[in-house]
Every structure is written in C-alpha cells, then in structure tokens.
Amino acid sequence: MSYLSQMDPEIAEIIEKERLRQTNGLELIASENVVSHAVLEAMGSIMTNKYAEGYPGKRYYGGCEFHDQAENLARDRLKKLFGAEHANVQPHSGTQANMAVYFAFMKLGEKILSMKLNQGGHLSHGSPVSFTGKFYQVAQYGVDPKTEMLDYGVVEQMAKQEKPQIIVCGASAYPRTIDFKAFQEIADGVGAYCMADIAHIAGLCATGIHPNSVGVVNFTTTTTHKTLRGPRGGAIMCNSEYAQAIDKAVFPGMQGGPLMHTITAKAVCFEEALKPSFKEYNRQIVKNAKILAETLMNNGLRLVSGGTDNHLMLVDLTDQHLTGLEAEVALGKAGITVNKNTIPNETKSPFVTSGLRVGTPAVTSRGMKEAEMRRVGNWIAIVIKDIHSDATIARVKKEVTEMSGKFPIYPS
Ligand code: DSN
C-alpha cells in the first residue's frame, strides 16, 4: 500500500476503509467471496501490462510467451477441475461467457428458454433490459407455485411449445439442486442446445457436492469469483466439437485483449480448487448454509422452498410486513451485508423486493462454522424482528464486530 498511499492518498484511504468494512462485518452476499493472498498477488501483478489478443500460440502481439504459459495452465487446470474437454478462460465475466455461447450458437431473433429473473434466473438469461431480451426471443419458466422448486415437466412442456434454440439452466437465486441431466434430455427432445450457467455453484460442482454440469450439458458457463473463490471473471467449458465456435465467439467475436492478470489469477484459483482442502471448504459452505437456514426458520422466518441444498437461501419477509430493502439497510447498519432479492411471485420492484438472499461462501472462507452460523442466524432474526430499534441494531453490531475480529480475512 505504501506506493499507493504516497501517490494517491485519497484512493489509498478508500481501499483501507473497504478493508475495515470487510474485516469488521459479515459478508453474506451469496455471490461474493474472499480470495487468497496468492490470487490477490497474481491479480496485482505485471501480467496486466501486456496485450495478448488471440490464444496461446496464436497471438496478434509479440512477447506473449509467458502469457501463453499462464493461459495454458489456466485452461488445463480448469479442464482437470471439471473434467472438461475444452475450456476458454478469457470471458471478462459471467455475462460475457453467456453472450459468447449465444453468439456462437444462435442467430439474432432465435429463441432462448430460461428461468424468470424474479424466480431465480439472471439478467443475461433473457431479461428485456439486457441484450438478451433485445437480440433474441425469450420464453421463461418459473418455479412450481407450491414447492417453489423447478418442475421439469413444465420446462419440457414449454420446450415443446416454444421450440427454443438454447435452453438455459442455472440460476442466481435458487436454493435447490438443479438436475442438469433432465435439462439436457429436454433439450435433446426438441433439438435444442442446453447451456448451464453454474456461476453460483461452480465450487460445489467442481467438488461433486452438487452434480456437475460439465460433460452432461452442451455448454457450461461460470464466473470464477463466487464459490470458486477466484478473481472476478468468467469461463466457458464444452466438448471439443464446440471448441472452435466458442473460441471464435469470445475472440474476435465479442472481446478484444484478454485481461491477462485476471487469467493468471484464474490459474492460481483453479490450482487451489484442485486441492483436497477445497472440497472440504465447499462441504462446509453447504453445512453452514443448512445451519443458518435452520436457525432462521427456528426464529419464525419463512424460507422460499423451505430450506436450501446449496450455498444460499431466500428469506420471504412478507409475513414480517417488511421489504427486502428495509431489511438490507437495517442489517447493513448491524454489520451484516446481504442483498434484497425478489422471491417467486414477487409483487414489489427489484429495488424494494419482498425477500433477502443470504449466502455462506465468504464467511466460510474466514473459517466460520456451524456455531457461528447459529449466532449469525439469531442476529439476523433479532434485527428483522426489532427493525426500528437503534439500540438493538447497535447491540448486534457490537457482537458482530467482536466475532468478526476472531476470523480475520487475511490472518497473516
Ligand atoms: N450479480 C450476481 C449475483 O449476485 O448473483 C450475478 O451476476
């Protein structure tokens, strides 16, 4: 930090304040995590200084020999991690990974069948405000109104009616197991491709804690910074038969120079994820989520679908006569960071919402286990039930800060 604080004290101070926020609070946003020192070091390295348009061995710039080595390692490690025949590690984000698949295998105006955004899907799966809703026709499935889980019979029926070019599965706010095989079978039945966006559950898929989509569906896209615990970025995996089309869609189809410092850090993340301790870590994420869910329900809070199979849960605040926005703000004051989230059959806008999304990857990275999750669940319930009391919020914040201090983000 010393160069930065001398050169730009204003930014150095902002970073220090953010470090303290992350250190003293509890990060329960389901899509966030805490990267290792090694990933941070690779991200902040001189690998950022280079242009490397193209792919290893076929670049449009000289001097790429070491960048080739880093990208080859990233690709090989990702393939090994998921058992993939082909990997592209250049997408800047999950949305870019999805975009590359659409660009490679759909003509403009063709149809996507995907999950509704307000029932767990993602903007890049066909929302009218994203390029997907503007470039393509979109048909969307939701969850069953009673179970609040996917109903594969309904998806199949819609696939037969809508005749999509690509069926998208995978979600940003779905707490249950996804049957990728069922989705591919539905796609095969109507002559469609199947794309699984496993951004949220990638770590669980890589370690077998959730069924893996790679080798099951035609294309798997992911981000690298959620349960995978790597740098912010995206990746695509597929069988060799699709490799050329995917690579061409990413570059030159959609992106220019790859972010080589990020690709280098992805390689580090994938190496970390190949270690046995990463499986243990992902197992603990799910154990922590189950205990947190149980604690919230024991405190009288309703969870969408009645629980969780993965790293996240959705709290329905309707019975509490609160909005997601109100709960997010109050919990934020108590040092607990969550995000307001739509729930199935949402009646409020995405800026207000009736729900909260809560996830355990980041707190698990800090070493928190079941006992801490019980405390966190009780604190969330206390704040929600006494949301207008500044004294309650201050008391919870004190306890949150005390416990957070025992689990430093970067102990050394
Ligand atoms: N913004 C991510 C999430 O929070 O799930 C998805 O892109």
Side-chain angles (χ1 to χ4, degrees):
M1 188 61 80
S2 58
Y3 288 108
L4 187 58
S5 40
Q6 277 171 38
M7 161 59 207
D8 191 339
E10 222 175 336
I11 281 290
E13 195 187 327
I14 289 170
I15 294 175
E16 177 57 11
K17 283 187 196 154
E18 172 59 11
R19 190 187 68 77
L20 288 172
R21 187 194 70 82
Q22 290 187 22
T23 304
N24 296 333
L26 293 172
E27 184 55 73
L28 292 171
I29 291 182
S31 48
E32 295 184 10
N33 212 329
V34 181
V35 299
S36 69
H37 271 123
V39 167
L40 269 187
E41 198 175 323
M43 279 286 283
S45 73
I46 55 166
M47 298 301 270
T48 196
N49 291 344
K50 189 86 194 83
Y51 254 122
E53 272 146 305
Y55 289 100
K58 281 190 238 157
R59 304 281 190 188
Y60 288 83
Y61 289 82
C64 288
E65 54 271 33
F66 302 115
H67 288 75
D68 281 2
Q69 287 178 16
E71 186 166 347
N72 275 331
L73 273 179
R75 296 201 291 197
D76 290 345
R77 290 172 180 176
L78 185 62
K79 286 193 278 181
K80 189 168 168 199
L81 186 60
F82 285 89
E85 288 181 9
H86 179 70
N88 186 309
V89 294
Q90 293 197 1
H92 299 330
S93 75
T95 292
Q96 269 59 60
N98 292 343
M99 185 185 249
V101 172
Y102 303 144
F103 281 4
F105 294 98
M106 275 204 294
K107 294 194 193 75
L108 295 185
E110 286 187 328
K111 196 179 278 183
I112 299 171
L113 173 62
S114 59
M115 192 175 199
K116 289 178 187 161
L117 178 62
N118 67 6
Q119 306 215 2
H122 188 257
L123 278 170
S124 65
H125 295 178
S127 163
V129 296
S130 115
F131 74 95
T132 48
K134 300 185 201 301
F135 291 1
Y136 304 108
Q137 294 179 64
V138 181
Q140 297 205 297
Y141 55 86
V143 291
D144 177 80
K146 275 215 182 86
T147 63
E148 299 178 306
M149 295 190 208
L150 285 166
D151 179 336
Y152 296 90
V154 170
V155 178
E156 183 172 21
Q157 221 177 342
M158 286 191 75
K160 283 181 179 156
Q161 264 167 21
E162 301 288 346
K163 300 186 178 38
Q165 178 74 7
I166 296 188
I167 298 181
V168 178
C169 54
S172 287
Y174 184 66
R176 296 300 184 174
T177 300
I178 298 172
D179 187 343
F180 296 123
K181 192 161 166 280
F183 270 105
Q184 183 64 55
E185 281 168 7
I186 294 168
D188 288 342
V190 297
Y193 291 112
C194 184
M195 178 186 100
D197 176 346
I198 62 164
H200 264 260
I201 54 171
L204 309 182
C205 292
T207 50
I209 290 160
H210 185 288
N212 189 0
S213 60
V214 176
V216 174
V217 301
N218 301 115
F219 322 110
T220 294
T221 60
T222 188
T223 54
T224 46
H225 50 273
K226 297 184 177 100
T227 46
L228 263 186
R229 207 167 59 184
R232 195 157 287 279
I236 307 171
M237 288 167 277
C238 59
N239 284 350
S240 309
E241 63 186 298
Y242 305 122
Q244 205 186 0
I246 290 287
D247 286 355
K248 273 175 71 179
V250 175
F251 175 85
M254 186 190 68
Q255 290 185 177
L259 307 177
M260 291 310 298
H261 57 308
T262 305
I263 289 171
T264 307
K266 285 175 186 173
V268 176
C269 149
F270 302 149
E271 182 67 5
E272 289 176 349
L274 282 162
K275 295 189 192 312
S277 56
F278 188 71
K279 182 165 188 166
E280 204 32 61
Y281 161 64
N282 273 272
R283 213 178 260 135
Q284 190 64 48
I285 289 178
V286 174
K287 277 192 209 164
N288 281 354
K290 281 207 187 311
I291 295 293
L292 185 52
E294 203 179 284
T295 310
L296 294 173
M297 289 189 291
N298 288 344
N299 275 284
L301 296 174
R302 194 187 91 77
L303 296 192
V304 170
S305 83
T308 178
D309 298 329
N310 58 25
H311 64 301
L312 69 81
M313 62 215 73
L314 286 173
V315 186
D316 176 359
L317 295 164
T318 314
D319 296 347
Q320 308 300 318
H321 308 292
L322 284 179
T323 66
L325 177 60
E326 288 167 319
E328 178 191 295
V329 169
L331 287 164
K333 287 185 193 156
I336 298 173
T337 311
V338 291
N339 66 279
K340 57 185 172 290
N341 214 97
T342 54
I343 55 170
N345 305 310
E346 181 61 70
T347 54
K348 299 187 166 67
S349 88
F351 290 107
V352 179
T353 82
S354 306
L356 280 183
R357 189 182 64 165
V358 183
T360 54
V363 287
T364 309
S365 289
R366 293 175 76 171
M368 294 183 200
K369 295 208 165 120
E370 288 88 333
E372 287 76 32
M373 292 307 106
R374 285 193 190 92
R375 296 190 74 190
V376 172
N378 288 331
W379 286 328
I380 292 175
I382 288 168
V383 170
I384 285 177
K385 285 171 185 254
D386 201 9
I387 201 156
H388 300 298
S389 165
D390 290 343
T392 298
I393 291 175
R395 178 170 63 78
V396 171
K397 186 179 171 65
K398 188 165 170 282
E399 292 179 26
V400 164
T401 310
E402 267 165 25
M403 190 179 88
S404 298
K406 297 193 182 119
F407 296 91
I409 299 182
Y410 295 110
S412 57

